[in-house]
PDB file of all heavy atoms in Angstrom:
ATOM      1  N   LEU J   1     137.851  85.352 -86.314  1.00 98.00           N
ATOM      2  CA  LEU J   1     138.116  86.783 -86.251  1.00 98.00           C
ATOM      3  C   LEU J   1     137.380  87.391 -85.064  1.00 98.00           C
ATOM      4  O   LEU J   1     136.179  87.195 -84.894  1.00 98.00           O
ATOM      5  CB  LEU J   1     137.658  87.459 -87.548  1.00 98.00           C
ATOM      6  CG  LEU J   1     138.115  88.900 -87.782  1.00 98.00           C
ATOM      7  CD1 LEU J   1     139.632  88.964 -87.931  1.00 98.00           C
ATOM      8  CD2 LEU J   1     137.438  89.486 -89.010  1.00 98.00           C
ATOM      9  N   VAL J   2     138.131  88.147 -84.244  1.00 98.00           N
ATOM     10  CA  VAL J   2     137.597  88.764 -83.031  1.00 98.00           C
ATOM     11  C   VAL J   2     137.941  90.242 -83.044  1.00 98.00           C
ATOM     12  O   VAL J   2     139.025  90.627 -83.509  1.00 98.00           O
ATOM     13  CB  VAL J   2     138.193  88.099 -81.764  1.00 98.00           C
ATOM     14  CG1 VAL J   2     137.809  88.860 -80.506  1.00 98.00           C
ATOM     15  CG2 VAL J   2     137.768  86.652 -81.660  1.00 98.00           C
ATOM     16  N   ARG J   3     137.026  91.072 -82.549  1.00 98.00           N
ATOM     17  CA  ARG J   3     137.339  92.471 -82.291  1.00 98.00           C
ATOM     18  C   ARG J   3     137.145  92.750 -80.810  1.00 98.00           C
ATOM     19  O   ARG J   3     136.188  92.258 -80.208  1.00 98.00           O
ATOM     20  CB  ARG J   3     136.464  93.397 -83.149  1.00 98.00           C
ATOM     21  CG  ARG J   3     136.853  93.375 -84.619  1.00 98.00           C
ATOM     22  CD  ARG J   3     135.972  94.263 -85.472  1.00 98.00           C
ATOM     23  NE  ARG J   3     136.409  94.236 -86.869  1.00 98.00           N
ATOM     24  CZ  ARG J   3     135.726  94.781 -87.869  1.00 98.00           C
ATOM     25  NH1 ARG J   3     134.572  95.421 -87.632  1.00 98.00           N
ATOM     26  NH2 ARG J   3     136.197  94.719 -89.100  1.00 98.00           N
ATOM     27  N   THR J   4     138.039  93.551 -80.261  1.00 98.00           N
ATOM     28  CA  THR J   4     138.023  93.826 -78.828  1.00 98.00           C
ATOM     29  C   THR J   4     137.385  95.176 -78.536  1.00 98.00           C
ATOM     30  O   THR J   4     137.197  96.002 -79.426  1.00 98.00           O
ATOM     31  CB  THR J   4     139.449  93.810 -78.254  1.00 98.00           C
ATOM     32  OG1 THR J   4     140.173  94.922 -78.797  1.00 98.00           O
ATOM     33  CG2 THR J   4     140.168  92.512 -78.591  1.00 98.00           C
ATOM     34  N   GLY J   5     137.079  95.406 -77.258  1.00 97.00           N
ATOM     35  CA  GLY J   5     136.533  96.688 -76.834  1.00 97.00           C
ATOM     36  C   GLY J   5     135.242  97.017 -77.555  1.00 97.00           C
ATOM     37  O   GLY J   5     134.411  96.156 -77.830  1.00 97.00           O
ATOM     38  N   MET J   6     135.067  98.286 -77.903  1.00 97.00           N
ATOM     39  CA  MET J   6     133.845  98.709 -78.587  1.00 97.00           C
ATOM     40  C   MET J   6     133.822  98.271 -80.047  1.00 97.00           C
ATOM     41  O   MET J   6     132.781  98.353 -80.710  1.00 97.00           O
ATOM     42  CB  MET J   6     133.684 100.226 -78.489  1.00 97.00           C
ATOM     43  CG  MET J   6     133.649 100.770 -77.063  1.00 97.00           C
ATOM     44  SD  MET J   6     132.470  99.947 -75.959  1.00 97.00           S
ATOM     45  CE  MET J   6     130.910 100.407 -76.699  1.00 97.00           C
ATOM     46  N   GLY J   7     134.953  97.774 -80.550  1.00 97.00           N
ATOM     47  CA  GLY J   7     134.974  97.203 -81.888  1.00 97.00           C
ATOM     48  C   GLY J   7     134.145  95.938 -81.987  1.00 97.00           C
ATOM     49  O   GLY J   7     133.786  95.494 -83.080  1.00 97.00           O
ATOM     50  N   ALA J   8     133.850  95.333 -80.830  1.00 97.00           N
ATOM     51  CA  ALA J   8     133.047  94.113 -80.806  1.00 97.00           C
ATOM     52  C   ALA J   8     131.566  94.381 -81.066  1.00 97.00           C
ATOM     53  O   ALA J   8     130.788  93.447 -81.283  1.00 97.00           O
ATOM     54  CB  ALA J   8     133.218  93.405 -79.459  1.00 97.00           C
ATOM     55  N   VAL J   9     131.150  95.641 -81.051  1.00 96.00           N
ATOM     56  CA  VAL J   9     129.788  96.012 -81.410  1.00 96.00           C
ATOM     57  C   VAL J   9     129.693  96.023 -82.932  1.00 96.00           C
ATOM     58  O   VAL J   9     130.596  96.544 -83.603  1.00 96.00           O
ATOM     59  CB  VAL J   9     129.419  97.404 -80.835  1.00 96.00           C
ATOM     60  CG1 VAL J   9     128.017  97.815 -81.247  1.00 96.00           C
ATOM     61  CG2 VAL J   9     129.560  97.385 -79.321  1.00 96.00           C
ATOM     62  N   GLY J  10     128.626  95.480 -83.486  1.00 91.00           N
ATOM     63  CA  GLY J  10     128.500  95.299 -84.926  1.00 91.00           C
ATOM     64  C   GLY J  10     128.916  96.496 -85.757  1.00 91.00           C
ATOM     65  O   GLY J  10     129.769  96.395 -86.639  1.00 91.00           O
ATOM     66  N   LYS J  11     128.343  97.667 -85.494  1.00 88.00           N
ATOM     67  CA  LYS J  11     128.672  98.854 -86.281  1.00 88.00           C
ATOM     68  C   LYS J  11     130.000  99.485 -85.874  1.00 88.00           C
ATOM     69  O   LYS J  11     130.599 100.239 -86.643  1.00 88.00           O
ATOM     70  CB  LYS J  11     127.551  99.891 -86.151  1.00 88.00           C
ATOM     71  CG  LYS J  11     126.252  99.473 -86.836  1.00 88.00           C
ATOM     72  CD  LYS J  11     125.220 100.588 -86.768  1.00 88.00           C
ATOM     73  CE  LYS J  11     123.946 100.191 -87.505  1.00 88.00           C
ATOM     74  NZ  LYS J  11     122.932 101.279 -87.464  1.00 88.00           N
ATOM     75  N   GLY J  12     130.440  99.203 -84.680  1.00 89.00           N
ATOM     76  CA  GLY J  12     131.729  99.741 -84.231  1.00 89.00           C
ATOM     77  C   GLY J  12     131.795 101.252 -84.204  1.00 89.00           C
ATOM     78  O   GLY J  12     132.849 101.846 -84.438  1.00 89.00           O
ATOM     79  N   ALA J  13     130.679 101.903 -83.898  1.00 95.00           N
ATOM     80  CA  ALA J  13     130.629 103.369 -83.971  1.00 95.00           C
ATOM     81  C   ALA J  13     131.578 104.038 -82.991  1.00 95.00           C
ATOM     82  O   ALA J  13     132.038 105.163 -83.235  1.00 95.00           O
ATOM     83  CB  ALA J  13     129.197 103.856 -83.721  1.00 95.00           C
ATOM     84  N   THR J  14     131.873 103.384 -81.877  1.00 97.00           N
ATOM     85  CA  THR J  14     132.776 103.972 -80.877  1.00 97.00           C
ATOM     86  C   THR J  14     134.030 103.114 -80.685  1.00 97.00           C
ATOM     87  O   THR J  14     134.660 103.160 -79.628  1.00 97.00           O
ATOM     88  CB  THR J  14     132.046 104.159 -79.527  1.00 97.00           C
ATOM     89  OG1 THR J  14     131.484 102.902 -79.119  1.00 97.00           O
ATOM     90  CG2 THR J  14     130.947 105.192 -79.647  1.00 97.00           C
ATOM     91  N   TRP J  15     134.383 102.362 -81.708  1.00 97.00           N
ATOM     92  CA  TRP J  15     135.547 101.481 -81.668  1.00 97.00           C
ATOM     93  C   TRP J  15     136.774 102.213 -81.138  1.00 97.00           C
ATOM     94  O   TRP J  15     137.509 101.707 -80.299  1.00 97.00           O
ATOM     95  CB  TRP J  15     135.793 100.942 -83.083  1.00 97.00           C
ATOM     96  CG  TRP J  15     136.990 100.045 -83.279  1.00 97.00           C
ATOM     97  CD1 TRP J  15     138.092  99.918 -82.495  1.00 97.00           C
ATOM     98  CD2 TRP J  15     137.184  99.138 -84.377  1.00 97.00           C
ATOM     99  NE1 TRP J  15     138.970  99.009 -83.020  1.00 97.00           N
ATOM    100  CE2 TRP J  15     138.440  98.507 -84.173  1.00 97.00           C
ATOM    101  CE3 TRP J  15     136.443  98.811 -85.503  1.00 97.00           C
ATOM    102  CZ2 TRP J  15     138.950  97.559 -85.074  1.00 97.00           C
ATOM    103  CZ3 TRP J  15     136.964  97.871 -86.383  1.00 97.00           C
ATOM    104  CH2 TRP J  15     138.196  97.248 -86.174  1.00 97.00           C
ATOM    105  N   ARG J  16     137.025 103.432 -81.628  1.00 97.00           N
ATOM    106  CA  ARG J  16     138.275 104.126 -81.337  1.00 97.00           C
ATOM    107  C   ARG J  16     138.124 105.197 -80.262  1.00 97.00           C
ATOM    108  O   ARG J  16     139.010 106.026 -80.090  1.00 97.00           O
ATOM    109  CB  ARG J  16     138.825 104.736 -82.630  1.00 97.00           C
ATOM    110  CG  ARG J  16     138.892 103.690 -83.752  1.00 97.00           C
ATOM    111  CD  ARG J  16     139.620 104.111 -84.972  1.00 97.00           C
ATOM    112  NE  ARG J  16     139.139 105.320 -85.594  1.00 97.00           N
ATOM    113  CZ  ARG J  16     138.175 105.376 -86.515  1.00 97.00           C
ATOM    114  NH1 ARG J  16     137.513 104.265 -86.867  1.00 97.00           N
ATOM    115  NH2 ARG J  16     137.851 106.519 -87.074  1.00 97.00           N
ATOM    116  N   ASN J  17     137.017 105.131 -79.527  1.00 97.00           N
ATOM    117  CA  ASN J  17     136.762 106.137 -78.493  1.00 97.00           C
ATOM    118  C   ASN J  17     136.945 105.617 -77.078  1.00 97.00           C
ATOM    119  O   ASN J  17     137.323 106.375 -76.179  1.00 97.00           O
ATOM    120  CB  ASN J  17     135.340 106.686 -78.629  1.00 97.00           C
ATOM    121  CG  ASN J  17     135.108 107.374 -79.956  1.00 97.00           C
ATOM    122  OD1 ASN J  17     134.671 106.734 -80.902  1.00 97.00           O
ATOM    123  ND2 ASN J  17     135.416 108.650 -80.035  1.00 97.00           N
ATOM    124  N   TYR J  18     136.660 104.342 -76.869  1.00 97.00           N
ATOM    125  CA  TYR J  18     136.655 103.772 -75.511  1.00 97.00           C
ATOM    126  C   TYR J  18     137.333 102.411 -75.564  1.00 97.00           C
ATOM    127  O   TYR J  18     136.947 101.537 -76.348  1.00 97.00           O
ATOM    128  CB  TYR J  18     135.220 103.656 -75.009  1.00 97.00           C
ATOM    129  CG  TYR J  18     135.079 103.118 -73.605  1.00 97.00           C
ATOM    130  CD1 TYR J  18     135.563 103.824 -72.513  1.00 97.00           C
ATOM    131  CD2 TYR J  18     134.458 101.894 -73.376  1.00 97.00           C
ATOM    132  CE1 TYR J  18     135.427 103.327 -71.227  1.00 97.00           C
ATOM    133  CE2 TYR J  18     134.303 101.384 -72.082  1.00 97.00           C
ATOM    134  CZ  TYR J  18     134.794 102.116 -71.011  1.00 97.00           C
ATOM    135  OH  TYR J  18     134.657 101.620 -69.734  1.00 97.00           O
ATOM    136  N   LYS J  19     138.357 102.219 -74.739  1.00 94.00           N
ATOM    137  CA  LYS J  19     139.215 101.051 -74.851  1.00 94.00           C
ATOM    138  C   LYS J  19     138.580  99.744 -74.388  1.00 94.00           C
ATOM    139  O   LYS J  19     138.913  98.672 -74.893  1.00 94.00           O
ATOM    140  CB  LYS J  19     140.500 101.256 -74.032  1.00 94.00           C
ATOM    141  CG  LYS J  19     141.408 102.364 -74.514  1.00 94.00           C
ATOM    142  CD  LYS J  19     142.534 102.583 -73.507  1.00 94.00           C
ATOM    143  CE  LYS J  19     143.471 103.695 -73.919  1.00 94.00           C
ATOM    144  NZ  LYS J  19     144.395 103.283 -74.966  1.00 94.00           N
ATOM    145  N   TYR J  20     137.678  99.809 -73.401  1.00 94.00           N
ATOM    146  CA  TYR J  20     137.431  98.607 -72.613  1.00 94.00           C
ATOM    147  C   TYR J  20     136.204  97.798 -73.006  1.00 94.00           C
ATOM    148  O   TYR J  20     136.167  96.601 -72.785  1.00 94.00           O
ATOM    149  CB  TYR J  20     137.349  98.990 -71.134  1.00 94.00           C
ATOM    150  CG  TYR J  20     138.556  99.777 -70.697  1.00 94.00           C
ATOM    151  CD1 TYR J  20     138.462 101.138 -70.408  1.00 94.00           C
ATOM    152  CD2 TYR J  20     139.811  99.179 -70.643  1.00 94.00           C
ATOM    153  CE1 TYR J  20     139.579 101.867 -70.044  1.00 94.00           C
ATOM    154  CE2 TYR J  20     140.928  99.907 -70.280  1.00 94.00           C
ATOM    155  CZ  TYR J  20     140.806 101.257 -69.982  1.00 94.00           C
ATOM    156  OH  TYR J  20     141.910 101.975 -69.640  1.00 94.00           O
ATOM    157  N   GLY J  21     135.185  98.427 -73.580  1.00 93.00           N
ATOM    158  CA  GLY J  21     134.003  97.654 -73.923  1.00 93.00           C
ATOM    159  C   GLY J  21     133.282  97.160 -72.698  1.00 93.00           C
ATOM    160  O   GLY J  21     133.182  97.853 -71.679  1.00 93.00           O
ATOM    161  N   TYR J  22     132.790  95.929 -72.768  1.00 95.00           N
ATOM    162  CA  TYR J  22     131.989  95.315 -71.700  1.00 95.00           C
ATOM    163  C   TYR J  22     132.644  94.005 -71.302  1.00 95.00           C
ATOM    164  O   TYR J  22     132.963  93.173 -72.143  1.00 95.00           O
ATOM    165  CB  TYR J  22     130.570  95.082 -72.218  1.00 95.00           C
ATOM    166  CG  TYR J  22     129.604  94.529 -71.197  1.00 95.00           C
ATOM    167  CD1 TYR J  22     129.207  95.294 -70.112  1.00 95.00           C
ATOM    168  CD2 TYR J  22     129.075  93.247 -71.339  1.00 95.00           C
ATOM    169  CE1 TYR J  22     128.304  94.811 -69.186  1.00 95.00           C
ATOM    170  CE2 TYR J  22     128.169  92.741 -70.415  1.00 95.00           C
ATOM    171  CZ  TYR J  22     127.780  93.529 -69.340  1.00 95.00           C
ATOM    172  OH  TYR J  22     126.882  93.038 -68.419  1.00 95.00           O
ATOM    173  N   GLY J  23     132.873  93.824 -70.012  1.00 95.00           N
ATOM    174  CA  GLY J  23     133.584  92.630 -69.570  1.00 95.00           C
ATOM    175  C   GLY J  23     135.083  92.848 -69.603  1.00 95.00           C
ATOM    176  O   GLY J  23     135.557  93.996 -69.606  1.00 95.00           O
ATOM    177  N   PRO J  24     135.877  91.780 -69.650  1.00 94.00           N
ATOM    178  CA  PRO J  24     137.335  91.925 -69.644  1.00 94.00           C
ATOM    179  C   PRO J  24     137.819  92.740 -70.845  1.00 94.00           C
ATOM    180  O   PRO J  24     137.255  92.666 -71.934  1.00 94.00           O
ATOM    181  CB  PRO J  24     137.847  90.475 -69.736  1.00 94.00           C
ATOM    182  CG  PRO J  24     136.714  89.641 -69.264  1.00 94.00           C
ATOM    183  CD  PRO J  24     135.455  90.357 -69.652  1.00 94.00           C
ATOM    184  N   GLY J  25     138.882  93.521 -70.615  1.00 94.00           N
ATOM    185  CA  GLY J  25     139.522  94.248 -71.704  1.00 94.00           C
ATOM    186  C   GLY J  25     140.674  93.417 -72.247  1.00 94.00           C
ATOM    187  O   GLY J  25     141.630  93.149 -71.526  1.00 94.00           O
ATOM    188  N   TRP J  26     140.591  93.010 -73.513  1.00 96.00           N
ATOM    189  CA  TRP J  26     141.531  92.031 -74.048  1.00 96.00           C
ATOM    190  C   TRP J  26     142.694  92.641 -74.837  1.00 96.00           C
ATOM    191  O   TRP J  26     143.596  91.903 -75.258  1.00 96.00           O
ATOM    192  CB  TRP J  26     140.793  91.053 -74.966  1.00 96.00           C
ATOM    193  CG  TRP J  26     139.826  90.163 -74.251  1.00 96.00           C
ATOM    194  CD1 TRP J  26     138.466  90.188 -74.351  1.00 96.00           C
ATOM    195  CD2 TRP J  26     140.137  89.113 -73.320  1.00 96.00           C
ATOM    196  NE1 TRP J  26     137.909  89.222 -73.541  1.00 96.00           N
ATOM    197  CE2 TRP J  26     138.908  88.546 -72.895  1.00 96.00           C
ATOM    198  CE3 TRP J  26     141.322  88.603 -72.801  1.00 96.00           C
ATOM    199  CZ2 TRP J  26     138.839  87.503 -71.989  1.00 96.00           C
ATOM    200  CZ3 TRP J  26     141.253  87.555 -71.887  1.00 96.00           C
ATOM    201  CH2 TRP J  26     140.027  87.017 -71.495  1.00 96.00           C
ATOM    202  N   ASP J  27     142.704  93.948 -75.054  1.00 96.00           N
ATOM    203  CA  ASP J  27     143.763  94.512 -75.902  1.00 96.00           C
ATOM    204  C   ASP J  27     145.160  94.113 -75.433  1.00 96.00           C
ATOM    205  O   ASP J  27     146.010  93.718 -76.238  1.00 96.00           O
ATOM    206  CB  ASP J  27     143.654  96.044 -75.940  1.00 96.00           C
ATOM    207  CG  ASP J  27     142.538  96.535 -76.858  1.00 96.00           C
ATOM    208  OD1 ASP J  27     141.686  95.710 -77.249  1.00 96.00           O
ATOM    209  OD2 ASP J  27     142.512  97.734 -77.159  1.00 96.00           O
ATOM    210  N   GLN J  28     145.403  94.215 -74.143  1.00 95.00           N
ATOM    211  CA  GLN J  28     146.751  93.924 -73.641  1.00 95.00           C
ATOM    212  C   GLN J  28     147.130  92.453 -73.772  1.00 95.00           C
ATOM    213  O   GLN J  28     148.311  92.106 -73.760  1.00 95.00           O
ATOM    214  CB  GLN J  28     146.872  94.377 -72.186  1.00 95.00           C
ATOM    215  CG  GLN J  28     147.065  95.871 -72.023  1.00 95.00           C
ATOM    216  CD  GLN J  28     148.346  96.358 -72.657  1.00 95.00           C
ATOM    217  OE1 GLN J  28     149.413  95.789 -72.472  1.00 95.00           O
ATOM    218  NE2 GLN J  28     148.253  97.427 -73.445  1.00 95.00           N
ATOM    219  N   MET J  29     146.136  91.583 -73.907  1.00 96.00           N
ATOM    220  CA  MET J  29     146.456  90.159 -74.091  1.00 96.00           C
ATOM    221  C   MET J  29     147.234  89.925 -75.379  1.00 96.00           C
ATOM    222  O   MET J  29     147.986  88.946 -75.499  1.00 96.00           O
ATOM    223  CB  MET J  29     145.182  89.321 -74.091  1.00 96.00           C
ATOM    224  CG  MET J  29     145.461  87.823 -74.123  1.00 96.00           C
ATOM    225  SD  MET J  29     143.975  86.828 -73.966  1.00 96.00           S
ATOM    226  CE  MET J  29     143.356  86.882 -75.632  1.00 96.00           C
ATOM    227  N   PHE J  30     147.057  90.822 -76.354  1.00 98.00           N
ATOM    228  CA  PHE J  30     147.707  90.626 -77.646  1.00 98.00           C
ATOM    229  C   PHE J  30     148.970  91.481 -77.799  1.00 98.00           C
ATOM    230  O   PHE J  30     149.590  91.488 -78.866  1.00 98.00           O
ATOM    231  CB  PHE J  30     146.707  90.922 -78.764  1.00 98.00           C
ATOM    232  CG  PHE J  30     145.515  90.003 -78.711  1.00 98.00           C
ATOM    233  CD1 PHE J  30     144.290  90.461 -78.254  1.00 98.00           C
ATOM    234  CD2 PHE J  30     145.629  88.670 -79.075  1.00 98.00           C
ATOM    235  CE1 PHE J  30     143.193  89.610 -78.182  1.00 98.00           C
ATOM    236  CE2 PHE J  30     144.540  87.813 -79.008  1.00 98.00           C
ATOM    237  CZ  PHE J  30     143.316  88.286 -78.559  1.00 98.00           C
ATOM    238  N   ALA J  31     149.364  92.205 -76.752  1.00 97.00           N
ATOM    239  CA  ALA J  31     150.628  92.941 -76.751  1.00 97.00           C
ATOM    240  C   ALA J  31     151.732  92.019 -76.241  1.00 97.00           C
ATOM    241  O   ALA J  31     151.559  91.317 -75.244  1.00 97.00           O
ATOM    242  CB  ALA J  31     150.520  94.177 -75.865  1.00 97.00           C
ATOM    243  N   GLN J  32     152.835  91.974 -76.933  1.00 97.00           N
ATOM    244  CA  GLN J  32     153.982  91.120 -76.581  1.00 97.00           C
ATOM    245  C   GLN J  32     153.552  89.682 -76.317  1.00 97.00           C
ATOM    246  O   GLN J  32     154.056  89.042 -75.391  1.00 97.00           O
ATOM    247  CB  GLN J  32     154.722  91.681 -75.361  1.00 97.00           C
ATOM    248  CG  GLN J  32     155.519  92.934 -75.656  1.00 97.00           C
ATOM    249  CD  GLN J  32     156.501  93.295 -74.552  1.00 97.00           C
ATOM    250  OE1 GLN J  32     156.686  92.556 -73.589  1.00 97.00           O
ATOM    251  NE2 GLN J  32     157.138  94.441 -74.693  1.00 97.00           N
ATOM    252  N   SER J  33     152.624  89.173 -77.111  1.00 97.00           N
ATOM    253  CA  SER J  33     152.179  87.797 -76.905  1.00 97.00           C
ATOM    254  C   SER J  33     152.147  87.055 -78.231  1.00 97.00           C
ATOM    255  O   SER J  33     152.454  87.606 -79.285  1.00 97.00           O
ATOM    256  CB  SER J  33     150.789  87.777 -76.257  1.00 97.00           C
ATOM    257  OG  SER J  33     149.769  87.936 -77.233  1.00 97.00           O
ATOM    258  N   ASN J  34     151.751  85.800 -78.154  1.00 98.00           N
ATOM    259  CA  ASN J  34     151.552  84.978 -79.354  1.00 98.00           C
ATOM    260  C   ASN J  34     150.178  84.311 -79.295  1.00 98.00           C
ATOM    261  O   ASN J  34     150.014  83.155 -79.657  1.00 98.00           O
ATOM    262  CB  ASN J  34     152.665  83.936 -79.489  1.00 98.00           C
ATOM    263  CG  ASN J  34     152.908  83.160 -78.202  1.00 98.00           C
ATOM    264  OD1 ASN J  34     152.114  83.223 -77.259  1.00 98.00           O
ATOM    265  ND2 ASN J  34     153.999  82.413 -78.150  1.00 98.00           N
ATOM    266  N   PHE J  35     149.207  85.074 -78.834  1.00 98.00           N
ATOM    267  CA  PHE J  35     147.844  84.567 -78.664  1.00 98.00           C
ATOM    268  C   PHE J  35     146.950  84.866 -79.867  1.00 98.00           C
ATOM    269  O   PHE J  35     145.793  84.442 -79.893  1.00 98.00           O
ATOM    270  CB  PHE J  35     147.205  85.174 -77.415  1.00 98.00           C
ATOM    271  CG  PHE J  35     147.928  84.842 -76.130  1.00 98.00           C
ATOM    272  CD1 PHE J  35     147.884  85.724 -75.058  1.00 98.00           C
ATOM    273  CD2 PHE J  35     148.658  83.677 -75.988  1.00 98.00           C
ATOM    274  CE1 PHE J  35     148.535  85.430 -73.865  1.00 98.00           C
ATOM    275  CE2 PHE J  35     149.328  83.382 -74.803  1.00 98.00           C
ATOM    276  CZ  PHE J  35     149.268  84.262 -73.740  1.00 98.00           C
ATOM    277  N   GLY J  36     147.423  85.610 -80.846  1.00 98.00           N
ATOM    278  CA  GLY J  36     146.641  85.937 -82.024  1.00 98.00           C
ATOM    279  C   GLY J  36     147.427  86.851 -82.942  1.00 98.00           C
ATOM    280  O   GLY J  36     148.553  87.252 -82.636  1.00 98.00           O
ATOM    281  N   ILE J  37     146.838  87.182 -84.090  1.00 98.00           N
ATOM    282  CA  ILE J  37     147.486  88.017 -85.101  1.00 98.00           C
ATOM    283  C   ILE J  37     146.623  89.262 -85.300  1.00 98.00           C
ATOM    284  O   ILE J  37     145.486  89.166 -85.777  1.00 98.00           O
ATOM    285  CB  ILE J  37     147.637  87.256 -86.428  1.00 98.00           C
ATOM    286  CG1 ILE J  37     148.459  85.973 -86.219  1.00 98.00           C
ATOM    287  CG2 ILE J  37     148.288  88.148 -87.485  1.00 98.00           C
ATOM    288  CD1 ILE J  37     148.401  85.016 -87.391  1.00 98.00           C
ATOM    289  N   VAL J  38     147.143  90.418 -84.943  1.00 98.00           N
ATOM    290  CA  VAL J  38     146.378  91.663 -85.030  1.00 98.00           C
ATOM    291  C   VAL J  38     146.383  92.153 -86.480  1.00 98.00           C
ATOM    292  O   VAL J  38     147.450  92.310 -87.086  1.00 98.00           O
ATOM    293  CB  VAL J  38     146.955  92.728 -84.089  1.00 98.00           C
ATOM    294  CG1 VAL J  38     146.191  94.039 -84.230  1.00 98.00           C
ATOM    295  CG2 VAL J  38     146.905  92.243 -82.642  1.00 98.00           C
TER     296      VAL J  38
END
């Protein structure tokens, strides 16, 4: 189980505020793909 962006921070306090987090932004990797199950 993986969470992307700020959801990857344990408490996820800003999960839904900022898309990118730290390092690569992976959200688009799971759009129109078969790389995981959201």
Side-chain angles (χ1 to χ4, degrees):
L1 192 65
V2 172
R3 288 179 178 171
T4 67
M6 302 309 294
V9 178
K11 291 185 178 181
T14 55
W15 178 340
R16 309 190 304 272
N17 298 92
Y18 182 65
K19 295 172 181 283
Y20 307 109
Y22 183 68
W26 293 112
D27 283 14
Q28 282 298 313
M29 186 175 81
F30 299 105
Q32 288 194 6
S33 83
N34 49 12
F35 299 151
I37 302 167
V38 178

